[in-house]
Amino acid sequence: MRHLLAIDDLGTDGIDDVLRLTDSFVEVSERSIPKVPALRGKTVVSLFYEDSTRTRLSFETAAKRLSADTMTFSVSTSSTKKGESLRDTVETIEAMGVDAIVIRHGSAGAPWNVARWGSSAVINAGDGWHEHPTQALLDSYTIRQHRGSLEGKRIAIVGDIKHSRVARSNIAAFTLQGAEVTLVAPRTLLPPNTDGWPVAISNDLDATLAKVDIVYLLRMQLERMTDALVPSLREYTARFGLTRRRADALGDDVLIMHPGPMNRGVEIAAEVADLPNAVIVDQVRNGVAVRMAVLYLLLGAGTEWGAEAVGTATSTGGDRG
Ligand code: CP
């Protein structure tokens, strides 16, 4: 694997490879000194043209735990403000000597252009409404951690599907692993054409919740809405929010997931996000180990010292605290 741009780059076997390797990096992350030398001498740059807390910090943490050097690009203090193009920015950064570019951009397809222009490994950290593959990997890992596998699991993805790259990557990842996915949303928050999507579609949340194993809530992306797509947020919450009443009607074994950031009180009631069966913090925690696995597969696999570092981590427990 040279780049990670979309879930289909991985396929079922690739997803399995990443998630198996993630187990080793979860173990590394639990050590008193959570660090291995696998990517010593490599440089990873975060090139984020959109805001992020989880993805950016977890990629930077993952790179540091693998002993890579990191560079952070901040749009607000960069020459982008003087009109420098994405291509010139990428070529400038590459001239300094980088091995991987982690890019988030508001335009769908931008990571594919970066992969074409440069020689670094490119990881898509979210492009427009299109894909967010590492989110789907960490979500898949979290479901496997709590439920063993995704095979045959019934998963409802609820909310703003239209604007959601998380939904697109998760539909691909979940169905490749054998889950049955139902999208629940008002017509205005679905893409105009879902022909060929391997999903069922409903606008009745209560009926869907009665027969799911996992409910995955999406953030209302108010910043991407140019039209009034719902009559009001209060009405949206009444029909499509995971309210306390709806959460109480779910079995305790139904996982509640959300990619973050949450609008507490809109798509999920404030207290529902903190229930024992809500695994939102686990999703964030697993994000670091999953991103370590992705960086390792792109930059470290095949190097003798890299294999040794991970081998040591799994076989001896290394310097466990
Ligand atoms: N889930 C997610 O991508 O969060 P951030 O926007 O904080 O990175």
Side-chain angles (χ1 to χ4, degrees):
M1 183 168 70
R2 180 153 157 56
H3 306 290
L4 176 57
L5 302 175
I7 282 295
D8 283 344
D9 293 349
L10 290 169
T12 312
D13 291 345
I15 292 172
D16 282 344
D17 288 345
V18 174
L19 300 190
R20 248 196 320 272
L21 189 55
T22 299
D23 282 334
S24 304
F25 290 120
V26 166
E27 187 273 315
V28 169
S29 297
E30 288 168 351
R31 296 179 190 174
S32 55
I33 301 174
K35 201 158 179 160
V36 289
L39 296 190
R40 203 159 45 202
K42 304 284 185 185
T43 300
V44 176
V45 61
S46 307
L47 194 58
F48 276 56
Y49 285 82
E50 280 191 348
D51 295 341
S52 168
T53 298
R54 281 148 282 269
T55 312
R56 181 180 196 143
L57 290 179
S58 63
F59 264 115
E60 289 173 7
T61 304
K64 286 181 175 138
R65 288 186 180 174
L66 292 166
S67 303
D69 295 320
T70 55
M71 281 165 56
T72 299
F73 171 89
S74 168
V75 172
S76 62
T77 55
S78 75
S79 291
T80 302
K81 288 282 181 198
K82 302 176 194 165
E84 189 160 52
S85 68
L86 175 61
R87 182 170 189 157
D88 285 340
T89 302
V90 167
E91 288 176 358
T92 300
I93 289 169
E94 284 218 324
M96 297 176 202
V98 301
D99 299 286
I101 296 175
V102 179
I103 178 166
R104 171 170 289 189
H105 202 284
S107 297
W112 278 259
N113 286 332
V114 174
R116 228 183 35 251
W117 295 328
S119 56
S120 307
V122 177
I123 302 170
N124 182 357
D127 63 319
W129 307 353
H130 184 211
E131 279 259 7
H132 191 352
T134 57
Q135 179 71 45
L137 290 168
L138 73 89
D139 291 334
S140 298
Y141 188 83
T142 304
I143 294 171
R144 289 189 186 197
Q145 190 177 50
H146 286 274
R147 293 292 175 264
S149 86
L150 282 83
E151 184 67 45
K153 299 293 183 299
R154 296 159 303 172
I155 304 177
I157 301 180
V158 183
D160 184 1
I161 313 287
K162 179 182 173 119
H163 301 103
S164 178
R165 54 197 174 210
V166 172
R168 286 168 180 77
S169 288
N170 269 341
I171 290 166
F174 293 169
T175 55
L176 276 171
Q177 294 168 87
E180 294 168 25
V181 174
T182 301
L183 307 180
V184 187
R187 184 65 247 172
T188 49
L189 291 182
L190 287 167
N193 187 351
T194 50
D195 291 352
W197 288 29
V199 296
I201 294 179
S202 168
N203 63 7
D204 186 339
L205 180 58
D206 291 302
T208 306
L209 290 184
K211 46 189 181 188
V212 295
D213 302 293
I214 295 145
V215 53
Y216 193 104
L217 301 155
L218 296 170
R219 182 171 70 89
M220 281 293 276
Q221 299 197 35
L222 303 172
E223 75 279 14
R224 295 196 201 274
M225 291 189 193
T226 49
D227 306 313
L229 297 177
V230 292
S232 70
L233 287 182
R234 187 198 289 223
E235 193 163 322
Y236 175 83
T237 302
R239 285 196 60 203
F240 296 99
L242 190 61
T243 57
R244 183 69 208 221
R245 177 187 65 76
R246 289 191 174 113
D248 286 344
L250 290 173
D252 289 346
D253 57 343
V254 174
L255 294 184
I256 298 169
M257 303 181 72
H258 192 301
M262 290 181 274
N263 297 307
R264 288 190 192 237
V266 179
E267 67 268 5
I268 185 167
E271 68 275 25
V272 169
D274 303 320
L275 290 173
N277 52 324
V279 294
I280 297 157
V281 175
D282 292 344
Q283 291 171 259
V284 176
R285 187 178 300 113
N286 290 331
V288 175
V290 161
R291 288 167 175 136
M292 288 172 81
V294 169
L295 287 170
Y296 177 76
L297 284 170
L298 290 177
L299 298 181
T303 60
E304 204 180 316
W305 42 266
E308 264 173 29
V310 175
T312 304
T314 51
S315 62
T316 69
D319 62 348
R320 247 178 191 296

